Amino acid sequence: VQLQASGGGLVQAGGSLRLSCAASGRTFSDYGMGWFRQAPGKEREFVAAISDNGARTDYADSVKGRFTISRDKSKNTVYLQMNSLKPEDTAVYYCAASKLASRAGTSYDYWGQGTLVTVSS
């Protein structure tokens, strides 16, 4: 699976962004998808995940209620809608694909290249 993340940028605190991750190669619907992020000087952390059929989602406590993960099978794309952004959301965001969509980054087999989100105060 090849993954291409996009949609990052600079936004003011309280604003919104929508990240996209386009998948190609293998059957998109066979994979759960996740979003992770890595801020400067920090370790990569789990943000959100969605099951292969879209029926189940999971969110880190820090983004619950503000971020929404979704997927469009017809477009082989997973999205991360980010609302009420905070400066602490600033990071490079990565999408990833896994047979088991979990919070553990080690369970993901394929990774996109990352897209930078910067939230100014």
Side-chain angles (χ1 to χ4, degrees):
V1 178
Q2 289 80 46
L3 302 174
Q4 181 73 38
S6 62
L10 174 64
V11 63
Q12 289 188 331
S16 298
L17 280 176
R18 188 178 78 159
L19 305 183
S20 300
C21 178
S24 62
R26 294 184 181 264
T27 305
F28 178 64
S29 58
D30 287 346
Y31 289 85
M33 300 294 295
W35 286 96
F36 292 77
R37 67 187 182 186
Q38 187 167 20
K42 295 187 177 181
E43 293 188 352
R44 183 182 63 195
E45 64 175 358
F46 168 78
V47 176
I50 188 167
S51 61
D52 54 2
N53 62 3
R56 291 179 290 108
T57 57
D58 186 25
Y59 297 93
D61 288 345
S62 59
V63 307
K64 199 172 294 184
R66 299 188 298 122
F67 290 11
T68 302
I69 188 171
S70 61
R71 63 191 298 162
D72 186 333
K73 186 189 300 186
S74 67
K75 295 182 179 180
N76 282 3
T77 300
V78 64
Y79 302 98
L80 185 68
Q81 178 66 45
M82 305 186 295
N83 299 328
S84 302
L85 282 161
K86 305 175 182 180
E88 51 264 43
D89 294 318
T90 295
V92 177
Y93 283 71
Y94 298 90
C95 60
S98 171
K99 290 289 190 176
L100 299 172
S102 75
R103 295 188 172 205
T106 53
S107 71
Y108 288 78
D109 304 303
Y110 304 97
W111 291 82
Q113 85 289 0
T115 185
L116 177 62
V117 172
T118 304
V119 184
S120 63
S121 57

